Amino acid sequence: MEKKKEEKKEKRKYNVPAVDSAFKILTLLSRKKFSKSNLTEIAKALSLTPTTCYRVLQKLEELSVIRYDQSSKRYSLGPYLVVLGERAKENILDLSVIEPYMEEITEETGLTSFLVNRIGQKKSTIISKVEAEQFGINVSVGRHFSVVDGAYGKSLLAFMDEDESDELIRMNDGLRPLSEEEISNLKEELKEVREKGYAIAFGEYIEGIAGVAAPIFNNRETVEMSIALVGMTTQLKGEEAVRMGERIKKVADEISYKLGGRVPFT
């Protein structure tokens, strides 16, 4: 345990500001609100100096991962990202294994399925989704959330190192602020998530929206991905939420095994 903590501390020491800034810019431009932004807007949103921001933008434009419109003086994502995205999708075996399960469980349950991946320390993003025909949840692939949000957040937090999950919960930068009582209750709930192997969120993050999620384990028994079913709270009441939780856990376990992961419970 102590060795793992030391390794994490070592990893956090190293930072490459230009790379960090470039990634933040690309992430910002991927958001609908900032999809076409000028230099001032980008620098302000990311707390970068205009000079630093401009230099990074210039390099990204040179590489065609962003584009600059001379008439509007605004930046947007560039054409080469389409190429990179397609190549990434072709090379990710995980998606080819996971997406058939998502299609099957969405058809079976009538709920929208999401595949969520942790990125960095504090965020998670939707990397694939299958919408239900009648009640599709309008959230796009690539949407970023705090790692503490939703049932999928709980399923990630529950299998982190306890010190790390406590730190993320204390940061309190999710969809809504948490009181001290809610933080305490969440920590207790994470113990149940570890025991059951799935998490439930029932309208506490987004009113009227409920979800169940289960972790996908890698070969180190750690979790970077979560698979979730999301719908209206009317669709996931009481025993139905429990039934869906057990169903999504079974799917997540099967995916973990197919990907060579090691599930630490049965």
Short mmCIF file of all heavy atoms in Angstrom, two decimals, residues 64-101:
data_model
loop_
_atom_site.label_atom_id
_atom_site.label_comp_id
_atom_site.label_asym_id
_atom_site.label_seq_id
_atom_site.Cartn_x
_atom_site.Cartn_y
_atom_site.Cartn_z
N SER A 64 -2.86 21.11 -37.65
CA SER A 64 -4.22 20.87 -38.18
C SER A 64 -5.16 20.19 -37.19
O SER A 64 -6.17 19.61 -37.59
CB SER A 64 -4.18 20.05 -39.49
OG SER A 64 -3.56 20.80 -40.51
N VAL A 65 -4.83 20.25 -35.92
CA VAL A 65 -5.76 19.69 -34.92
C VAL A 65 -6.74 20.75 -34.44
O VAL A 65 -7.73 20.42 -33.78
CB VAL A 65 -5.03 19.03 -33.74
CG1 VAL A 65 -4.29 17.78 -34.18
CG2 VAL A 65 -4.09 19.99 -33.06
N ILE A 66 -6.44 22.02 -34.73
CA ILE A 66 -7.46 23.06 -34.60
C ILE A 66 -7.41 23.89 -35.89
O ILE A 66 -6.44 23.83 -36.64
CB ILE A 66 -7.25 23.98 -33.38
CG1 ILE A 66 -5.97 24.80 -33.52
CG2 ILE A 66 -7.27 23.19 -32.08
CD1 ILE A 66 -5.88 25.90 -32.49
N ARG A 67 -8.45 24.67 -36.12
CA ARG A 67 -8.48 25.55 -37.29
C ARG A 67 -8.83 26.96 -36.84
O ARG A 67 -9.51 27.16 -35.82
CB ARG A 67 -9.47 25.05 -38.32
CG ARG A 67 -10.90 25.03 -37.87
CD ARG A 67 -11.81 24.34 -38.86
NE ARG A 67 -11.71 24.92 -40.18
CZ ARG A 67 -12.36 24.46 -41.24
NH1 ARG A 67 -13.12 23.39 -41.14
NH2 ARG A 67 -12.24 25.06 -42.40
N TYR A 68 -8.35 27.94 -37.60
CA TYR A 68 -8.58 29.34 -37.27
C TYR A 68 -9.32 30.02 -38.41
O TYR A 68 -8.90 29.92 -39.57
CB TYR A 68 -7.25 30.05 -37.03
CG TYR A 68 -7.36 31.52 -36.72
CD1 TYR A 68 -7.95 31.94 -35.54
CD2 TYR A 68 -6.88 32.47 -37.62
CE1 TYR A 68 -8.06 33.30 -35.24
CE2 TYR A 68 -6.98 33.83 -37.34
CZ TYR A 68 -7.57 34.24 -36.14
OH TYR A 68 -7.67 35.57 -35.85
N ASP A 69 -10.43 30.67 -38.08
CA ASP A 69 -11.21 31.38 -39.08
C ASP A 69 -10.79 32.85 -39.07
O ASP A 69 -11.04 33.56 -38.09
CB ASP A 69 -12.70 31.25 -38.76
CG ASP A 69 -13.58 31.87 -39.85
OD1 ASP A 69 -13.61 33.10 -39.94
OD2 ASP A 69 -14.21 31.10 -40.58
N GLN A 70 -10.18 33.28 -40.13
CA GLN A 70 -9.62 34.62 -40.20
C GLN A 70 -10.70 35.70 -40.08
O GLN A 70 -10.49 36.75 -39.47
CB GLN A 70 -8.86 34.80 -41.52
CG GLN A 70 -8.09 36.10 -41.63
CD GLN A 70 -6.94 36.20 -40.66
OE1 GLN A 70 -6.19 35.23 -40.47
NE2 GLN A 70 -6.77 37.35 -40.03
N SER A 71 -11.86 35.45 -40.67
CA SER A 71 -12.92 36.47 -40.68
C SER A 71 -13.54 36.67 -39.29
O SER A 71 -13.81 37.80 -38.88
CB SER A 71 -14.00 36.10 -41.69
OG SER A 71 -14.58 34.85 -41.37
N SER A 72 -13.76 35.58 -38.57
CA SER A 72 -14.39 35.69 -37.25
C SER A 72 -13.39 35.76 -36.10
O SER A 72 -13.75 36.04 -34.96
CB SER A 72 -15.32 34.49 -37.01
OG SER A 72 -14.56 33.29 -36.92
N LYS A 73 -12.10 35.46 -36.41
CA LYS A 73 -11.03 35.44 -35.41
C LYS A 73 -11.29 34.37 -34.34
O LYS A 73 -10.94 34.54 -33.18
CB LYS A 73 -10.88 36.80 -34.72
CG LYS A 73 -10.77 38.00 -35.66
CD LYS A 73 -9.52 37.93 -36.52
CE LYS A 73 -9.39 39.17 -37.40
NZ LYS A 73 -8.26 39.09 -38.34
N ARG A 74 -11.89 33.28 -34.76
CA ARG A 74 -12.24 32.23 -33.80
C ARG A 74 -11.59 30.89 -34.16
O ARG A 74 -11.36 30.59 -35.33
CB ARG A 74 -13.76 32.06 -33.70
CG ARG A 74 -14.44 33.27 -33.07
CD ARG A 74 -15.93 33.13 -32.91
NE ARG A 74 -16.46 34.30 -32.23
CZ ARG A 74 -16.51 34.44 -30.92
NH1 ARG A 74 -16.07 33.47 -30.14
NH2 ARG A 74 -17.01 35.54 -30.38
N TYR A 75 -11.34 30.11 -33.11
CA TYR A 75 -10.73 28.80 -33.25
C TYR A 75 -11.78 27.71 -33.06
O TYR A 75 -12.74 27.87 -32.28
CB TYR A 75 -9.62 28.60 -32.21
CG TYR A 75 -8.44 29.54 -32.37
CD1 TYR A 75 -8.42 30.78 -31.72
CD2 TYR A 75 -7.35 29.18 -33.14
CE1 TYR A 75 -7.34 31.63 -31.85
CE2 TYR A 75 -6.25 30.04 -33.28
CZ TYR A 75 -6.27 31.26 -32.63
OH TYR A 75 -5.19 32.11 -32.76
N SER A 76 -11.59 26.59 -33.74
CA SER A 76 -12.45 25.41 -33.57
C SER A 76 -11.59 24.16 -33.78
O SER A 76 -10.43 24.26 -34.19
CB SER A 76 -13.60 25.43 -34.57
OG SER A 76 -13.11 25.46 -35.90
N LEU A 77 -12.16 23.01 -33.49
CA LEU A 77 -11.41 21.76 -33.69
C LEU A 77 -11.09 21.58 -35.17
O LEU A 77 -11.89 21.94 -36.04
CB LEU A 77 -12.22 20.58 -33.17
CG LEU A 77 -12.47 20.53 -31.66
CD1 LEU A 77 -13.30 19.32 -31.30
CD2 LEU A 77 -11.16 20.54 -30.88
N GLY A 78 -9.93 20.99 -35.44
CA GLY A 78 -9.46 20.89 -36.81
C GLY A 78 -9.69 19.54 -37.47
O GLY A 78 -10.02 18.56 -36.80
N PRO A 79 -9.49 19.47 -38.77
CA PRO A 79 -9.81 18.27 -39.55
C PRO A 79 -8.97 17.04 -39.20
O PRO A 79 -9.44 15.91 -39.34
CB PRO A 79 -9.56 18.71 -40.99
CG PRO A 79 -8.62 19.88 -40.89
CD PRO A 79 -8.99 20.57 -39.63
N TYR A 80 -7.73 17.25 -38.75
CA TYR A 80 -6.89 16.08 -38.51
C TYR A 80 -7.37 15.27 -37.32
O TYR A 80 -7.06 14.08 -37.21
CB TYR A 80 -5.43 16.48 -38.32
CG TYR A 80 -4.49 15.30 -38.43
CD1 TYR A 80 -4.41 14.58 -39.62
CD2 TYR A 80 -3.72 14.88 -37.36
CE1 TYR A 80 -3.58 13.48 -39.74
CE2 TYR A 80 -2.89 13.77 -37.47
CZ TYR A 80 -2.82 13.08 -38.66
OH TYR A 80 -2.00 11.99 -38.77
N LEU A 81 -8.16 15.89 -36.44
CA LEU A 81 -8.72 15.13 -35.32
C LEU A 81 -9.66 14.03 -35.80
O LEU A 81 -9.80 13.00 -35.14
CB LEU A 81 -9.46 16.07 -34.36
CG LEU A 81 -8.58 16.97 -33.49
CD1 LEU A 81 -9.44 17.90 -32.65
CD2 LEU A 81 -7.68 16.13 -32.57
N VAL A 82 -10.32 14.27 -36.95
CA VAL A 82 -11.19 13.23 -37.51
C VAL A 82 -10.38 11.99 -37.86
O VAL A 82 -10.77 10.85 -37.57
CB VAL A 82 -11.92 13.77 -38.76
CG1 VAL A 82 -12.77 12.67 -39.39
CG2 VAL A 82 -12.79 14.97 -38.40
N VAL A 83 -9.23 12.22 -38.46
CA VAL A 83 -8.33 11.11 -38.82
C VAL A 83 -7.87 10.38 -37.56
O VAL A 83 -7.92 9.15 -37.48
CB VAL A 83 -7.11 11.63 -39.60
CG1 VAL A 83 -6.15 10.48 -39.92
CG2 VAL A 83 -7.56 12.30 -40.88
N LEU A 84 -7.42 11.15 -36.57
CA LEU A 84 -6.94 10.54 -35.34
C LEU A 84 -8.04 9.76 -34.64
O LEU A 84 -7.81 8.67 -34.11
CB LEU A 84 -6.39 11.62 -34.40
CG LEU A 84 -5.14 12.37 -34.87
CD1 LEU A 84 -4.76 13.44 -33.85
CD2 LEU A 84 -3.97 11.41 -35.07
N GLY A 85 -9.25 10.32 -34.64
CA GLY A 85 -10.37 9.64 -34.01
C GLY A 85 -10.69 8.31 -34.67
O GLY A 85 -10.94 7.30 -33.99
N GLU A 86 -10.69 8.31 -35.99
CA GLU A 86 -10.97 7.06 -36.72
C GLU A 86 -9.89 6.02 -36.46
O GLU A 86 -10.17 4.84 -36.28
CB GLU A 86 -11.09 7.35 -38.21
CG GLU A 86 -12.38 8.04 -38.61
CD GLU A 86 -13.60 7.22 -38.25
OE1 GLU A 86 -13.61 6.01 -38.52
OE2 GLU A 86 -14.55 7.79 -37.67
N ARG A 87 -8.63 6.47 -36.45
CA ARG A 87 -7.53 5.53 -36.20
C ARG A 87 -7.62 4.97 -34.77
O ARG A 87 -7.38 3.79 -34.54
CB ARG A 87 -6.18 6.23 -36.39
CG ARG A 87 -5.89 6.66 -37.81
CD ARG A 87 -5.73 5.47 -38.74
NE ARG A 87 -5.48 5.91 -40.11
CZ ARG A 87 -6.41 6.12 -41.02
NH1 ARG A 87 -7.69 5.93 -40.70
NH2 ARG A 87 -6.10 6.51 -42.23
N ALA A 88 -7.96 5.83 -33.83
CA ALA A 88 -8.08 5.38 -32.44
C ALA A 88 -9.19 4.34 -32.33
O ALA A 88 -9.03 3.31 -31.66
CB ALA A 88 -8.36 6.57 -31.52
N LYS A 89 -10.32 4.62 -32.98
CA LYS A 89 -11.44 3.68 -32.90
C LYS A 89 -11.08 2.33 -33.51
O LYS A 89 -11.46 1.27 -33.00
CB LYS A 89 -12.66 4.28 -33.62
CG LYS A 89 -13.95 3.54 -33.33
CD LYS A 89 -15.15 4.31 -33.82
CE LYS A 89 -16.43 3.58 -33.46
NZ LYS A 89 -17.64 4.33 -33.91
N GLU A 90 -10.35 2.36 -34.60
CA GLU A 90 -9.92 1.11 -35.26
C GLU A 90 -9.00 0.29 -34.36
O GLU A 90 -9.01 -0.94 -34.39
CB GLU A 90 -9.18 1.43 -36.57
CG GLU A 90 -10.09 1.95 -37.68
CD GLU A 90 -9.28 2.46 -38.86
OE1 GLU A 90 -8.04 2.28 -38.84
OE2 GLU A 90 -9.87 3.05 -39.78
N ASN A 91 -8.20 0.99 -33.57
CA ASN A 91 -7.17 0.31 -32.77
C ASN A 91 -7.61 -0.04 -31.36
O ASN A 91 -6.86 -0.67 -30.62
CB ASN A 91 -5.91 1.17 -32.70
CG ASN A 91 -5.23 1.28 -34.06
OD1 ASN A 91 -5.24 0.34 -34.84
ND2 ASN A 91 -4.64 2.43 -34.34
N ILE A 92 -8.81 0.38 -30.98
CA ILE A 92 -9.28 0.08 -29.63
C ILE A 92 -10.10 -1.20 -29.65
O ILE A 92 -11.27 -1.22 -30.03
CB ILE A 92 -10.11 1.25 -29.04
CG1 ILE A 92 -9.24 2.49 -28.88
CG2 ILE A 92 -10.68 0.86 -27.68
CD1 ILE A 92 -9.99 3.72 -28.41
N LEU A 93 -9.49 -2.28 -29.26
CA LEU A 93 -10.17 -3.57 -29.21
C LEU A 93 -11.33 -3.52 -28.23
O LEU A 93 -12.37 -4.13 -28.44
CB LEU A 93 -9.18 -4.66 -28.79
CG LEU A 93 -9.76 -6.05 -28.48
CD1 LEU A 93 -10.38 -6.64 -29.74
CD2 LEU A 93 -8.69 -6.97 -27.93
N ASP A 94 -11.16 -2.75 -27.15
CA ASP A 94 -12.18 -2.69 -26.10
C ASP A 94 -13.55 -2.36 -26.68
O ASP A 94 -14.55 -2.99 -26.32
CB ASP A 94 -11.82 -1.63 -25.06
CG ASP A 94 -10.55 -1.97 -24.30
OD1 ASP A 94 -9.98 -3.04 -24.58
OD2 ASP A 94 -10.15 -1.19 -23.44
N LEU A 95 -13.63 -1.38 -27.57
CA LEU A 95 -14.92 -0.97 -28.10
C LEU A 95 -15.59 -2.07 -28.92
O LEU A 95 -16.79 -2.27 -28.84
CB LEU A 95 -14.77 0.28 -28.96
CG LEU A 95 -14.53 1.59 -28.21
CD1 LEU A 95 -14.41 2.75 -29.19
CD2 LEU A 95 -15.65 1.87 -27.22
N SER A 96 -14.80 -2.79 -29.69
CA SER A 96 -15.38 -3.87 -30.51
C SER A 96 -15.93 -4.99 -29.64
O SER A 96 -16.87 -5.69 -30.03
CB SER A 96 -14.34 -4.42 -31.48
OG SER A 96 -13.28 -5.06 -30.78
N VAL A 97 -15.37 -5.15 -28.45
CA VAL A 97 -15.86 -6.16 -27.50
C VAL A 97 -17.07 -5.64 -26.75
O VAL A 97 -18.06 -6.36 -26.55
CB VAL A 97 -14.75 -6.55 -26.50
CG1 VAL A 97 -15.31 -7.45 -25.39
CG2 VAL A 97 -13.61 -7.26 -27.22
N ILE A 98 -17.03 -4.38 -26.34
CA ILE A 98 -18.03 -3.83 -25.43
C ILE A 98 -19.33 -3.41 -26.13
O ILE A 98 -20.43 -3.64 -25.61
CB ILE A 98 -17.45 -2.64 -24.66
CG1 ILE A 98 -16.28 -3.10 -23.78
CG2 ILE A 98 -18.51 -1.98 -23.78
CD1 ILE A 98 -15.47 -1.97 -23.16
N GLU A 99 -19.23 -2.81 -27.31
CA GLU A 99 -20.42 -2.23 -27.94
C GLU A 99 -21.53 -3.24 -28.23
O GLU A 99 -22.71 -2.91 -28.08
CB GLU A 99 -20.02 -1.45 -29.19
CG GLU A 99 -19.35 -0.13 -28.84
CD GLU A 99 -18.90 0.68 -30.04
OE1 GLU A 99 -18.74 0.07 -31.13
OE2 GLU A 99 -18.70 1.90 -29.89
N PRO A 100 -21.22 -4.50 -28.63
CA PRO A 100 -22.32 -5.46 -28.81
C PRO A 100 -23.10 -5.71 -27.51
O PRO A 100 -24.32 -5.89 -27.55
CB PRO A 100 -21.59 -6.73 -29.28
CG PRO A 100 -20.37 -6.22 -29.95
CD PRO A 100 -19.94 -5.04 -29.14
N TYR A 101 -22.40 -5.71 -26.37
CA TYR A 101 -23.08 -5.85 -25.08
C TYR A 101 -24.00 -4.66 -24.83
O TYR A 101 -25.11 -4.80 -24.31
CB TYR A 101 -22.07 -5.95 -23.95
CG TYR A 101 -21.41 -7.30 -23.81
CD1 TYR A 101 -20.15 -7.54 -24.35
CD2 TYR A 101 -22.03 -8.34 -23.12
CE1 TYR A 101 -19.52 -8.77 -24.21
CE2 TYR A 101 -21.43 -9.57 -22.98
CZ TYR A 101 -20.16 -9.78 -23.53
OH TYR A 101 -19.56 -11.01 -23.38
#
